[in-house]
Amino acid sequence: MQPVRAIYPGTFDPLTNGHLDLIARGAKIVDHLVVSILRNVNKGKPLFTIEERLEMIREETRRFPNVTVEAFDGLLVDFARQQGAIAVLRGIRAISDYEYEFQMAMMNRKLAPELETIFMLPHEKYTYVSSRLIKGVFQLGGDVSDLVPKLVMERLQAKV
Ligand code: PNS
């Protein structure tokens, strides 16, 4: 069997403890995991630049010897092939995530039948955590300090 290389794609604007929890779970079951940050998103202006996100995620994943962090443009399946990945890792927090994830996984399968999607469940305590909510709550003065890594919290504070 060849070593299993997988990508964990997302926007990560910013990285949350839910993402980190999933990275830790993924890193246990694959030989190499490439956290892959999408450069161009249609979700409006990101809070953190790609460089800031790369730096934060690299710092936070330094403790995992089999995890690297990259940024990508274009189709996820093209990036996966370029990385030599045979699987895509995605987290499902609740049933509400499933429909979107199912559509993406099926479209990716149509585009690249050889690529498998692996769904994992983050810890229950992060089921409601999303980057979008973190940004919204933080910008209105809410405390999100136990939902994001310390470094991300510091960077959020520096942004405001
Ligand atoms: O963190 P997100 O925003 O839920 O991640 C979404 C992501 C990056 C996985 C998705 O938008 C994506 O794969 N974009 C790349 C473009 C692409 O390949 N689209 C076709 C897949 S349906």
Side-chain angles (χ1 to χ4, degrees):
M1 286 279 276
Q2 68 190 88
V4 176
R5 205 174 154 85
I7 64 170
Y8 175 41
T11 314
F12 305 108
D13 185 40
L15 178 78
T16 68
N17 285 344
H19 292 133
L20 264 183
D21 179 87
L22 211 81
I23 292 169
R25 290 173 200 277
K28 277 195 306 199
I29 62 159
V30 301
D31 295 299
H32 192 93
L33 187 66
V34 185
V35 180
S36 309
I37 312 170
L38 179 65
R39 278 186 188 276
N40 294 324
V41 274
N42 310 322
K43 287 186 178 175
K45 192 175 157 24
L47 183 62
F48 291 100
T49 65
I50 288 289
E51 286 64 36
E52 288 171 324
R53 281 177 269 163
L54 274 167
E55 192 213 328
M56 282 188 279
I57 304 175
R58 282 193 177 131
E59 184 58 36
E60 288 300 324
T61 56
R62 254 201 340 211
R63 62 197 148 106
F64 304 109
N66 61 338
V67 173
T68 51
V69 190
E70 301 291 341
F72 76 104
D73 252 331
L75 279 179
L76 175 139
V77 293
D78 290 338
F79 183 69
R81 281 179 177 142
Q82 187 192 316
Q83 286 291 316
I86 62 165
V88 178
L89 175 67
R90 289 286 289 175
I92 292 202
R93 291 162 297 191
I95 283 292
S96 50
D97 281 338
Y98 181 75
E99 200 156 343
Y100 171 60
E101 294 299 330
F102 175 81
Q103 285 183 345
M104 275 206 303
M106 288 302 124
M107 181 57 82
N108 287 335
R109 179 179 284 175
K110 187 202 159 5
L111 298 171
E114 76 283 4
L115 192 65
E116 294 296 338
T117 299
I118 302 173
F119 291 123
M120 293 187 83
L121 307 174
H123 194 283
E124 315 72 87
K125 65 185 175 191
Y126 301 127
T127 355
Y128 63 96
V129 177
S130 72
S131 300
R132 185 178 52 84
L133 271 186
I134 294 286
K135 283 184 284 195
V137 171
F138 179 78
Q139 280 163 349
L140 294 173
D143 180 11
V144 292
S145 56
D146 53 351
L147 303 178
V148 293
K150 196 162 165 277
L151 175 63
V152 172
M153 196 62 209
E154 287 165 7
R155 297 295 168 87
L156 278 169
Q157 282 158 343
K159 282 265 170 203
V160 173

